[in-house]
Amino acid sequence: MVFIGKLGKFVRVNLVFVIAVLAAIITSFIVVPDKEYLGYFDFRTLTCLFCTLAVVGALGNIGFFYALAKDIVRRFTTLRSAVLVLIYITFIGSMLIANDMALLTFLPLGFFVLTTTGKEKYMAFTFIMQNIAANLGGMLTPFGNPQNLYLYTKFQIPTVEFVGIMAAPFALAILLITLCCIIFVKPEPFVLKDEKISLPLGRSIAYLLLFILAIAIVFRGIPYGVGLVVIPVALLFLDRKALKMVDYPLLLTFVFFFIFSGNMARIDAVRSLFSYFLEKNTLLVSVLSCQVISNVPTAILLSQFTDNYKQLLLGVNIGGVGTLIASLASLITFREYSKHNKGKNGYYILLFSAFNFAFLIILAAFSLLFQ
């Protein structure tokens, strides 16, 4: 019974990973494993993702991002401005440290700010806006979301072109988030106590240098093999815990979806069907697919059937808002909210759906009109 309980918990927390494993196994009976399987894997994407997750984990372990964000938040004197800056920090953080890590870092800060100042009534709204900010803020950079990193690498998209594709919806997302905060959060008096957090200077510098190395690898400035050696070796001496904390289920999700999508691309009927629909409207198909199977699997799967990376990139980023499973990051936020607010899941899901689908409709319509 204990084993079954632990297995059930693992499946709930890593549902997309489990689906990826099952999809890979099932399609392996249709397309029997052969030497072509080796061509399925994008080792550069896997390496970049591993290096970024490891270094960001090390910075998180010393409280670097939390301390920086808390110091910024305490400088504001109204609740509206404090909530806005919390959401902006999450927005910017997702561009630099990926959306899931931004949420794991800044959702606890949001909880701390609201509970210590007696403003718990805004917690659902703040968490939802932080979640939307994390999913949409990461769209501007190749390393902001896992699906971005994959598509940026697979299609060898020039960095300037990548940013140009995502700039307009990114700007619209900022505008929408700001308007929501102005409308739904009152400018109530707000005081957060001044509490200094000291950071270890040596480790902070070392981890920031490793972070720069990881970013240089993403932008193809340094061979990814260098990072695969330097970063793990450095962290073995500086912070082994960071290596243990890497989201290995996410990495393995990529591996198994590479197998699944590779197999699907070799089935003639499937290839014809996907190619037909993607020729009609790649952006709309990818947005709808995200709502059902999440944005990372959508990016990996649909990239096998279209070369229209512009619409695919827009679709899997915009499609990160919507349902709870549209982005893995949304499940992190739901889990964090549920932990602190027992019995309020229904209220949260209703509010989450209202805001997320509103953002989804506006951003998708904007992108369809101006693509």
Side-chain angles (χ1 to χ4, degrees):
M1 291 296 292
V2 175
F3 171 76
I4 294 174
K6 289 183 176 179
L7 180 62
K9 182 179 179 181
F10 177 84
V11 171
R12 288 195 300 273
V13 174
N14 300 284
L15 181 60
V16 177
F17 165 68
V18 173
I19 292 172
V21 173
L22 293 175
I25 292 172
I26 292 169
T27 55
S28 293
F29 285 104
I30 301 172
V31 180
V32 180
D34 56 21
K35 63 181 181 180
E36 288 190 38
Y37 269 53
L38 292 175
Y40 292 172
F41 305 106
D42 189 333
F43 294 105
R44 181 184 178 83
T45 296
L46 293 171
T47 300
C48 290
L49 190 57
F50 168 78
C51 291
T52 304
L53 290 173
V55 176
V56 167
L59 283 164
N61 286 343
I62 62 172
F64 180 85
F65 303 112
Y66 186 90
L68 185 64
K70 188 175 180 183
D71 185 61
I72 294 171
V73 172
R74 69 177 180 81
R75 299 173 187 273
F76 292 84
T77 57
T78 69
L79 180 65
R80 178 187 288 166
S81 59
V83 169
L84 266 171
V85 78
L86 265 172
I87 294 165
Y88 287 156
I89 287 170
T90 308
F91 202 89
I92 295 168
S94 67
M95 294 166 57
L96 301 174
I97 62 175
N99 56 356
D100 54 350
M101 189 57 69
L103 288 170
L104 289 171
T105 302
F106 301 126
L107 285 175
L109 179 59
F111 174 78
F112 171 80
V113 167
L114 295 172
T115 53
T116 56
T117 55
K119 307 296 183 182
E120 292 91 342
K121 64 181 179 180
Y122 290 103
M123 191 173 298
F125 173 82
T126 303
F127 272 37
I128 290 166
M129 284 298 113
Q130 284 185 279
N131 184 84
I132 290 173
N135 283 327
L136 297 179
M139 74 169 73
L140 191 65
T141 60
F143 47 86
N145 294 314
Q147 68 271 16
N148 283 6
L149 185 57
Y150 168 70
L151 294 174
Y152 176 77
T153 302
K154 177 177 176 59
F155 292 108
Q156 295 290 295
I157 306 172
T159 303
V160 174
E161 183 183 358
F162 185 102
V163 174
I165 292 169
M166 304 310 303
F170 176 83
L172 179 57
I174 294 175
L175 176 62
L176 292 174
I177 288 171
T178 304
L179 286 174
C180 284
C181 290
I182 292 172
I183 294 169
F184 294 102
V185 181
K186 296 178 181 178
E188 301 172 11
F190 168 90
V191 178
L192 187 65
K193 65 179 182 178
D194 189 3
E195 182 184 0
K196 295 290 184 182
I197 302 176
S198 59
L199 296 173
L201 180 61
R203 286 178 182 267
S204 297
I205 294 172
Y207 296 157
L208 285 172
L209 289 173
L210 290 177
F211 184 68
I212 292 170
L213 173 62
I215 299 306
I217 293 167
V218 171
F219 284 118
R220 311 179 190 120
I222 296 175
Y224 68 85
V226 174
L228 194 56
V229 174
V230 173
I231 289 175
V233 170
L235 291 178
L236 275 173
F237 290 98
L238 294 169
D239 186 356
R240 294 186 181 184
K241 185 181 177 182
L243 292 174
K244 295 178 182 178
M245 290 173 58
V246 169
D247 191 348
Y248 291 107
L250 175 61
L251 292 172
L252 289 172
T253 297
F254 269 84
V255 170
F256 286 110
F257 267 116
F258 283 148
I259 296 171
F260 168 66
S261 60
N263 286 340
M264 293 287 279
R266 293 171 65 183
I267 302 172
D268 291 337
V270 172
R271 186 169 59 249
S272 298
L273 182 65
F274 273 101
S275 297
Y276 171 77
F277 283 113
L278 287 167
E279 283 178 6
K280 297 295 182 182
N281 196 310
T282 301
L283 192 153
L284 190 58
V285 171
S286 56
V287 166
L288 293 175
S289 176
C290 288
Q291 306 311 305
V292 180
I293 66 170
S294 188
N295 48 12
V296 171
T298 292
I300 297 172
L301 177 63
L302 299 188
S303 67
Q304 309 301 315
F305 307 101
T306 182
D307 292 324
N308 190 348
Y309 61 77
K310 178 181 178 179
Q311 287 194 22
L312 182 57
L313 186 61
L314 284 166
V316 297
N317 277 278
I318 293 168
V321 293
T323 64
L324 263 177
I325 62 170
S327 168
L328 297 175
S330 298
L331 296 176
I332 293 173
T333 308
F334 179 61
R335 194 165 65 239
E336 191 71 18
Y337 180 82
S338 300
K339 184 170 66 177
H340 300 298
N341 299 271
K342 304 295 183 183
K344 294 185 177 181
N345 288 357
Y347 168 73
Y348 176 87
I349 291 173
L350 283 173
L351 197 62
F352 175 94
S353 299
F355 278 109
N356 271 264
F357 279 107
F359 271 75
L360 179 66
I361 292 168
I362 293 170
L363 288 167
F366 173 83
S367 297
L368 285 168
L369 287 171
F370 298 103
Q371 60 181 299

